Amino acid sequence: MPAPFACYLRVYEPLGALPGPLAQRVRAGLARGAVPATQAGVRERDVCLRAQLGAPVRLLPGERIDGTATEGPADVLLAEGADAPAPGEASPSPSRFGPTTLVCPLDTRPRAAAALVGFLSTESPVLRAAALHDEESAARSRAEAVVAELGESATHVVSATWTVPLPWFVLVEAADRVLVLGRDDPATADAPVGSGVRRRCYWRVPMADALARADSAAELLSSALGDGGPSEVLRDTARWLRHFDAGSLVELDYGGLVQLLDDETLAADTSAEDVGEALDALREGDAEKAMASYRRLRDFWASRAIRERAN
């Protein structure tokens, strides 16, 4: 089964910046073994499926039968090199995880609750009825309550399916990209090209750089195009980023979308460059050049997103 066709914007925050209860759960998760970033989507799907297939069914992952949150180890990503230890590899000693260790809790339960609220607000009554085991108003009320539990905090991950929200590329520079191509897992030697096994495309940038780029681009786009659309997305993104410690890392990860791109296409992908060129052109007052860069970027991702309709 392929990994979910989702991409991710993540924040890796210093362990010392996490509130006490979450920090304890994250430490327990690190002791158990960090989730490799290449397996994060599969892990979340499995956790959600187990909640739905259990007896009795639970509305959200990571909760007890009565709907309260479990207190077990957190699923967490570790910002070390290209990835955390793969399954079967030795996990780092828990004693070496200090306050500056950068971690990204997956926050699956509140993210699933937010997704459920969105689903109930946008999908047709027939689909809502088919998907829910609980009465709709009760499910919405429980999901909204879980989202409200976040209070003034925020989840460390936001995601999108089938395509990358184009404003996200503003946060990174082309030179920041890390690209892992081909099949490097002997156990999957027969996997087809494009299967996504251990292949990865991602950027990591310091929080200060991501925020500066988001703020600058939002101001530019608001001046050139108005306050809606991309400028609004960037302002919302900057507000989200400001929930986290200044020493955090921001990661844009294609995630399961690498399954839609073969190695040659991934290597030739110029999405970050196209966004940079479009912004530079707007600063120079060259609207025609900016539009050409935008169209190139839009067409590239539209040709991937259209597969959702054929799936």
Side-chain angles (χ1 to χ4, degrees):
M1 181 182 295
F5 294 101
C7 64
Y8 307 94
L9 197 59
R10 303 185 179 109
V11 173
Y12 289 80
E13 195 169 20
L15 184 53
L18 301 180
L22 177 58
Q24 292 176 5
R25 294 184 58 234
V26 166
R27 285 186 177 276
L30 291 172
R32 180 182 62 184
V35 178
T38 52
Q39 296 299 311
V42 172
R43 170 65 179 168
E44 290 184 325
R45 179 182 62 199
D46 290 349
V47 168
C48 291
L49 283 176
R50 281 199 295 272
Q52 291 296 303
L53 298 176
V57 170
R58 287 164 291 159
L59 180 66
L60 298 170
E63 64 180 22
R64 303 182 183 91
I65 301 304
D66 63 2
T68 59
T70 59
E71 313 238 340
D75 286 333
V76 58
L77 308 184
L78 180 63
E80 288 204 343
D83 220 335
E89 295 179 351
S91 296
S93 169
S95 63
R96 77 176 182 80
F97 298 125
T100 61
T101 300
L102 294 176
V103 296
C104 177
L106 292 184
D107 300 322
T108 305
R109 180 171 179 259
R111 289 172 51 222
L116 178 56
V117 172
F119 172 82
L120 294 176
S121 301
T122 58
E123 296 299 339
S124 68
V126 173
L127 185 55
R128 298 199 304 265
L132 287 177
H133 296 277
D134 298 347
E135 197 274 328
E136 183 174 323
S137 62
R140 181 188 296 272
S141 178
R142 285 180 58 193
E144 289 175 343
V146 171
V147 174
E149 289 174 6
L150 287 170
E152 296 300 316
S153 63
T155 62
H156 289 72
V157 184
V158 293
S159 59
T161 55
W162 294 98
T163 187
V164 180
L166 303 187
W168 287 6
F169 287 109
V170 167
L171 306 179
V172 303
E173 292 281 356
D176 298 325
R177 184 172 73 159
V178 178
L179 191 59
V180 181
L181 300 176
R183 298 188 301 271
D184 58 355
D185 186 348
T188 58
D190 295 330
V193 172
S195 65
V197 177
R198 297 181 68 90
R199 297 166 71 243
R200 197 172 176 210
C201 178
Y202 68 99
W203 292 256
R204 282 183 186 162
V205 298
M207 175 64 76
D209 291 348
L211 275 172
R213 291 166 184 165
D215 289 340
S216 174
E219 183 177 353
L220 173 66
L221 291 169
S222 179
S223 175
L225 305 174
D227 290 331
S231 62
E232 182 178 7
V233 172
L234 285 169
R235 288 198 175 94
D236 288 344
T237 301
R239 279 193 290 270
W240 170 66
L241 292 175
R242 287 190 168 90
H243 284 92
F244 305 102
D245 188 84
S248 300
L249 276 180
V250 179
E251 177 181 83
L252 169 56
D253 186 353
Y254 278 10
L257 299 188
V258 298
Q259 299 165 118
L260 305 176
L261 305 161
D262 60 25
D263 281 1
E264 183 178 359
T265 303
L266 268 177
D269 173 28
T270 59
S271 295
E273 291 93 332
D274 290 340
V275 167
E277 288 178 4
L279 293 175
D280 288 342
L282 283 178
R283 291 187 183 98
E284 296 165 1
D286 191 339
E288 184 175 345
K289 183 178 179 181
M291 184 57 67
S293 297
Y294 168 74
R295 285 173 178 158
R296 185 163 59 246
L297 181 69
R298 179 198 60 191
D299 293 346
F300 178 84
W301 285 105
S303 66
R304 273 76 204 174
I306 199 171
R307 299 191 186 193
E308 180 179 13
R309 301 178 185 176
N311 190 302

